[in-house]
Amino acid sequence: MNSRWFAIVLVIVGASSYGLLSPLIKMAYQDGWNEFQITASQMTAGAALLWLLVLLQRQAWGNPFKGPWIKLSLVGMFGLTASTLLYNTALSEMDATVAIVLLFQFTWITIVMDSIANRKWPERNQWLAVIMIMLGTLCAVEAFEADWSRFTYLGIICGIGAAMTYGFFLFMAGRMETHLHPFMKSAVMITGSLPLLYLIYPPVVFFQAGGGALLLWGVGLGGLGQALPTIAFMVGIPRIGSTLAAMLGAMELPVGIVASLFFLNEAVHGVQWFGMLLILTGIVVAEKRKVS
C-alpha cells in the first residue's frame, strides 16, 4: 500500500471512529450520565490515553514546547473542543436529525477554506462528490421526515458553528507543519483544549458518586473520539489534503447508522441505505481522478 492510500485509510478509520461514538454515547446516557459529564470524561480520558501512548513509544519522546505547541493548542481548543461544545448545544436545542444536517456542512466549508488558502477552485468531480455526500446525508438521516419545526436560533447558530469549527480543525490538520511525533502532536493538541472545556464543564464530576464508572465511559469514548481519530488525522490529512479529508470524513455517518443498528437495535430503512450508498459513491468520485 503506497503512502497516499495508507493516508486515505487512516482518515477513513478516524472518521469511522467518530461514527462509533454516537451509539456509545446514547448507551452512556441510558446509563444515567448527561452530556456535560460525558464530554468532560471523554476529553480528559482522551488526553490521558494520548500521553500514555507517548510514554510507551520511545520515538515520541521529546520536548513538546520545541514545536508549535501554542498553535496546536489553539487548533485543539477552537477546533475539537469548540465543535464538541457547539454540537452538544445544538442537539439540546433541536431534533438530532436537523443537528446532523447542520454539522455535515463541514464538507463544503472545509473545501472553501482550502480553496481560499491555495487559491485554487475545487475540481468538477470534487463538487459532484460534495453534492452526492450532502444528498446522501439528507437521505441517511431521513431529514425529509424530521421535525424541522423544533429548532431555535441558538440551535441553528450552534449547529453551523460546529460545522465551521470542525471544518477549521480538518483544514488546519492538513497545514500544521511540525517535527513532533504524531503521538506527541496529538497529545499537545488535546491537552491544550482542556482549559476551555473545564471552564464550561468543570471536572468536579469525577469526584462525585459514581466517578469511577464515569471515567470508564471516558476511557472508551476518549479512545474512539479523541485518541484514535486525532492521531489518524494528524498522520493522514497532511498527505492527502483537507479537501479530500473533508469528504472522507463523511464516513462518520454511515458507520454511526450501522453501529446503531447493531448496538441499539435501531431500525435502518431503505432510504437510509440509499443515503449511505450515495455517501460512499461520493467519496469514490472525489478520488476518481487521482487513481485514473
Side-chain angles (χ1 to χ4, degrees), residues 73-123:
S73 298
L74 289 174
V75 171
M77 189 179 298
F78 295 106
L80 292 176
T81 301
S83 61
T84 300
L85 298 176
L86 289 167
Y87 186 59
N88 285 349
T89 302
L91 284 172
S92 68
E93 293 287 324
M94 63 177 64
D95 187 84
T97 297
V98 181
I100 291 172
V101 172
L102 292 177
L103 174 65
F104 266 69
Q105 304 308 306
F106 78 80
T107 305
W108 65 264
I109 288 173
T110 308
I111 292 174
V112 169
M113 290 181 179
D114 205 36
S115 299
I116 293 174
N118 295 325
R119 298 180 181 179
K120 181 181 179 182
W121 202 244
E123 297 169 4

Side-chain angles (χ1 to χ4, degrees), residues 7-36:
I8 288 173
V9 170
L10 277 179
V11 175
I12 289 176
V13 168
S16 299
S17 179
Y18 276 138
L20 290 172
L21 276 181
S22 299
L24 292 179
I25 288 176
K26 288 182 180 179
M27 292 170 66
Y29 289 163
Q30 293 171 2
D31 200 34
W33 306 107
N34 60 41
E35 67 271 19
F36 305 107

Side-chain angles (χ1 to χ4, degrees), residues 260-275:
S260 295
L261 171 65
F262 287 102
F263 290 119
L264 302 174
N265 294 318
E266 292 186 357
V268 181
H269 304 124
V271 68
Q272 292 177 283
W273 289 112
F274 175 70

Side-chain angles (χ1 to χ4, degrees), residues 2 38 51 53 95 110 116 144-145 150 174 193 199 208 231 239 274 278 280 291:
N2 62 39
I38 290 299
W51 283 112
L53 289 174
D95 187 84
T110 308
I116 293 174
F144 304 106
E145 298 181 11
R150 182 182 171 266
S193 72
L199 283 175
Q208 298 174 353
I231 291 173
R239 301 183 185 185
F274 175 70
L278 265 182
L280 295 175
V291 299

Side-chain angles (χ1 to χ4, degrees), residues 221-235:
L221 297 173
L224 286 173
Q226 270 65 48
L228 177 58
T230 304
I231 291 173
F233 288 160
M234 289 299 100
V235 175

Side-chain angles (χ1 to χ4, degrees), residues 36-189:
F36 305 107
Q37 297 165 327
I38 290 299
T39 302
S41 65
Q42 176 184 335
M43 296 290 288
T44 302
L49 287 171
L50 285 167
W51 283 112
L52 178 61
L53 289 174
V54 170
L55 290 175
L56 294 176
Q57 176 60 263
R58 182 67 178 84
Q59 294 177 341
W61 294 5
N63 183 357
F65 299 106
K66 282 188 176 180
W69 65 274
I70 294 179
K71 185 181 292 186
L72 285 170
S73 298
L74 289 174
V75 171
M77 189 179 298
F78 295 106
L80 292 176
T81 301
S83 61
T84 300
L85 298 176
L86 289 167
Y87 186 59
N88 285 349
T89 302
L91 284 172
S92 68
E93 293 287 324
M94 63 177 64
D95 187 84
T97 297
V98 181
I100 291 172
V101 172
L102 292 177
L103 174 65
F104 266 69
Q105 304 308 306
F106 78 80
T107 305
W108 65 264
I109 288 173
T110 308
I111 292 174
V112 169
M113 290 181 179
D114 205 36
S115 299
I116 293 174
N118 295 325
R119 298 180 181 179
K120 181 181 179 182
W121 202 244
E123 297 169 4
R124 184 180 303 174
N125 67 304
Q126 293 175 327
W127 282 123
L128 177 60
V130 170
I131 292 172
M132 295 178 72
I133 289 171
M134 295 311 301
L135 287 175
T137 300
L138 292 173
C139 293
V141 300
E142 296 185 300
F144 304 106
E145 298 181 11
D147 183 5
W148 289 84
S149 64
R150 182 182 171 266
F151 68 87
T152 64
Y153 290 116
L154 176 61
I156 294 175
I157 292 172
C158 289
I160 295 297
M164 294 183 68
T165 51
Y166 187 54
F168 169 74
F169 166 66
L170 293 176
F171 169 71
M172 290 303 299
R175 307 180 73 83
M176 295 289 290
E177 297 181 1
T178 172
H179 297 295
L180 292 176
H181 189 278
F183 288 0
M184 177 67 79
K185 186 177 178 181
S186 302
V188 171
M189 179 178 291

